[in-house]
Amino acid sequence: MADSITAEPSPTDATPRPTGDPLIVLDHVDKHFGALHVLRDVDLTIHRGEVVVVIGPSGSGKSTLCRTINRLETIDSGTITIDGKPLPSEGRELARLRADVGMVFQSFNLFAHKTVLENVTLGQVKAKGVRPAEARATAMDLLERVGVADQAAKRPAQLSGGQQQRVAIARALAMKPKAMLFDEPTSALDPEMINEVLDVMVGLAHDGMTMVVVTHEMGFARRAAQRVVFMDAGQVVEEADPETFFTAPRSERARDFLSKIL
Ligand code: ADP
Ligand code: MG
């Protein structure tokens, strides 16, 4: 399936044609927080192997979008399917969804009272029933891959922010996810640590991981993303390949936003 081409109606010629079959599909998704209409008729398809950067002003609904995909938030109407199946609402199916769609947050969210190794081991044992010895071996491989194997015995607080975020990535990868969601993964980091995290993410992208990445890091978008999705006020306003989006945005709202961050 991976080499199939999905012919989707594209808004413009500039929209690249993604490869891979649809993995995450949002169809007419609406979400309110009380009177606030936070996602407005969002249609979005993420194809297998695709890296999509989501960008937009603060409060535009980017985090909510990620959280609905992982069912950390429910939606009011519309549908979300992952690999052809509707999002489960509870129980074992929901745990499987959370394993299938790994999430990395701005604030790392590691278990503070566990070691780095335990952080990457626990989910495998508890949610997937992996034997502890095998889980530890997988965890050490992943910690190696993200460059923090030498920190395995420490507590998260003893690590730098960049190291903690790489542990968080390893923890999500340990569940062997089909896709990874990143919500501003470098926003809480000191500048000198941003690249060590982005480099890991670029590596994942090159290895073919399906990724949805909320970030304003244009360097990452240019290096790794096939598509940029621009959100404003709960709507997907514009989609394009990174080069087109950053150099020739079509909408006034995107131009206005970019003029503020560039
Ligand atoms: P972004 O990630 O783009 O900054 P969010 O998805 O976090 O935007 O938030 C979108 C809007 O929804 C904002 O106005 C925010 O204040 C509001 N919001 C987010 N989470 C909640 C919540 N749990 N309850 C009420 N309002 C919320
Ligand atoms: Mg956010």
Side-chain angles (χ1 to χ4, degrees):
M1 289 283 255
D3 56 354
S4 69
I5 302 289
T6 308
E8 265 216 308
S10 32
T12 71
D13 291 344
T15 304
R17 188 189 295 178
T19 56
D21 56 319
L23 180 59
I24 301 170
V25 180
L26 286 81
D27 187 32
H28 294 300
V29 169
D30 273 279
K31 165 80 182 169
H32 295 76
F33 285 119
L36 185 68
H37 199 171
V38 62
L39 295 178
R40 295 168 183 256
D41 198 23
V42 170
D43 287 334
L44 185 64
T45 299
I46 313 291
H47 301 83
R48 210 180 297 274
E50 196 180 15
V51 178
V52 173
V53 159
V54 179
I55 192 168
S58 178
S60 58
K62 307 180 298 296
S63 294
T64 305
L65 179 80
C66 286
R67 293 169 60 81
T68 59
I69 294 172
N70 218 9
R71 218 174 190 285
L72 294 168
E73 298 285 358
T74 56
I75 57 176
D76 300 334
S77 59
T79 58
I80 301 178
T81 56
I82 309 279
D83 221 355
K85 295 192 210 78
L87 286 194
S89 54
E90 58 189 10
R92 202 173 292 173
E93 291 294 315
L94 182 57
R96 193 168 302 152
L97 167 78
R98 299 257 166 82
D100 278 350
V101 183
M103 182 140 178
V104 173
F105 302 87
Q106 180 175 336
S107 52
F108 323 139
N109 292 17
L110 296 171
F111 305 120
H113 53 292
K114 304 283 184 193
T115 66
V116 163
L117 180 62
E118 286 165 345
N119 264 278
V120 186
T121 306
L122 276 175
Q124 300 182 64
V125 175
K126 290 204 166 155
K128 299 205 108 175
V130 178
R131 288 167 191 271
E134 188 187 333
R136 280 194 295 274
T138 299
M140 285 310 299
D141 281 349
L142 288 167
L143 290 171
E144 190 80 49
R145 178 166 167 197
V146 302
V148 290
D150 54 340
Q151 310 295 315
K154 293 187 183 168
R155 302 281 156 120
Q158 296 174 273
L159 273 58
S160 72
Q163 289 172 325
Q164 289 186 58
Q165 195 59 304
R166 286 181 283 148
V167 173
I169 294 171
R171 183 176 62 174
L173 290 176
M175 305 304 281
K176 300 192 165 55
K178 293 177 181 168
M180 290 275 286
L181 310 175
F182 293 84
D183 189 4
E184 303 210 27
T186 61
S187 296
L189 299 177
D190 291 333
E192 73 272 20
M193 293 170 188
I194 290 175
N195 279 332
E196 67 191 44
V197 172
L198 293 179
D199 286 346
V200 167
M201 293 167 59
V202 169
L204 269 182
H206 287 170
D207 289 348
M209 177 60 77
T210 307
M211 296 164 69
V212 177
V213 183
V214 178
T215 185
H216 294 171
E217 293 288 339
M218 289 177 303
F220 173 81
R222 284 208 161 101
R223 278 167 78 192
Q226 280 85 53
R227 188 152 54 111
V228 173
V229 169
F230 174 69
M231 285 187 74
D232 191 25
Q235 289 175 311
V236 172
V237 175
E238 182 166 344
E239 300 184 43
D241 67 278
E243 195 58 37
T244 303
F245 180 76
F246 290 120
T247 57
R250 290 193 309 279
S251 65
E252 184 60 41
R253 285 197 270 180
R255 282 195 292 273
D256 181 55
F257 173 72
L258 288 172
S259 74
K260 288 175 183 143
I261 67 160
L262 291 179

